Amino acid sequence: MKFLIVSDSHGDYNLLEKICYSNQDVDIFIHLGDYEIPEYLLNRFIFVRGNCDFLSDAPRCRDIDYEAFNIHFEHGNNIDFYNFEQYIEDKECDFFFFGHTHKKFEKRVGNTMVFNPGSLTRPRDSSKGSYLILDIKNKEEFTYIFKEIEL
């Protein structure tokens, strides 16, 4: 199962369309919030609302369960970063995705692989926007790459 995970696009619908078009082999598109566009434009995505999505009724977090693995994702503005590892472990998931920080991140926490794709339009760790491509075979067998785009 191949995923495209994006966060913090902050109103740039054209850039979202560009990355979707250039990744047509993806099975599932996930947006981690702060999209700041009308939600009907996110029809390709499973999404959660971010702290800048003021008029959204989207959930704050979502869970996807498959036979071989499960995923939890949220924007990240409600994460307790002082107790980050415990927060992740309490979700009891195989993969955890969050955004909000505008910085790419990957780390294994206990039995969970944690990813932040960075920000598509307002990166704080580079001059290029970023998103994540994750190909999951099962919870132990997966590949990933952070893709960067010129802004």
Side-chain angles (χ1 to χ4, degrees), residues 20 27 31 35 59 64 66-67 74-75 86 89 119 137 149:
C20 288
D27 299 303
H31 199 302
Y35 36 84
I64 300 173
Y66 292 99
E67 292 178 17
E74 59 187 79
H75 182 59
Q86 186 62 54
E89 289 176 6
S119 173
K137 305 278 187 262
I149 52 173

Side-chain angles (χ1 to χ4, degrees), residues 1-8 26 28-33 46-49 60-66 69-79 81 84 87-88 91 93-101 103 105-107 109 112-118 131-136 138 142-146:
M1 182 82 45
K2 193 170 190 178
F3 295 84
L4 183 149
I5 301 107
V6 64
S7 188
D8 299 280
V26 166
I28 297 179
F29 296 85
I30 294 176
H31 199 302
L32 301 174
I46 301 171
F47 58 92
V48 293
R49 75 175 184 254
R60 289 183 178 204
C61 63
R62 289 190 188 234
D63 295 290
I64 300 173
D65 292 314
Y66 292 99
F69 57 90
N70 58 36
I71 296 170
H72 174 86
F73 61 98
E74 59 187 79
H75 182 59
N77 55 309
N78 293 314
I79 293 175
F81 285 100
F84 182 73
Y87 186 88
I88 301 301
K91 299 301 176 191
C93 57
D94 299 308
F95 297 90
F96 182 102
F97 309 145
F98 73 100
H100 186 62
T101 65
K103 296 179 182 179
F105 178 84
E106 57 88 13
K107 180 180 181 179
V109 175
T112 304
M113 195 64 204
V114 181
F115 292 102
N116 184 324
Y131 60 97
L132 177 70
I133 300 291
L134 175 64
D135 193 359
I136 304 174
N138 58 57
F142 58 90
T143 58
Y144 65 93
I145 184 168
F146 289 98

Side-chain angles (χ1 to χ4, degrees), residues 6-68:
V6 64
S7 188
D8 299 280
S9 55
H10 292 285
D12 197 328
Y13 174 70
N14 292 331
L15 196 51
L16 277 177
E17 281 296 296
K18 180 180 176 181
I19 66 167
C20 288
Y21 183 76
S22 64
N23 292 281
Q24 293 184 24
D25 62 334
V26 166
D27 299 303
I28 297 179
F29 296 85
I30 294 176
H31 199 302
L32 301 174
D34 281 0
Y35 36 84
E36 295 184 76
I37 58 174
E39 290 173 355
Y40 71 87
L41 295 173
L42 294 170
N43 60 350
R44 294 182 190 172
F45 290 86
I46 301 171
F47 58 92
V48 293
R49 75 175 184 254
N51 58 298
C52 292
D53 299 316
F54 302 111
L55 301 177
S56 175
D57 289 331
R60 289 183 178 204
C61 63
R62 289 190 188 234
D63 295 290
I64 300 173
D65 292 314
Y66 292 99
E67 292 178 17

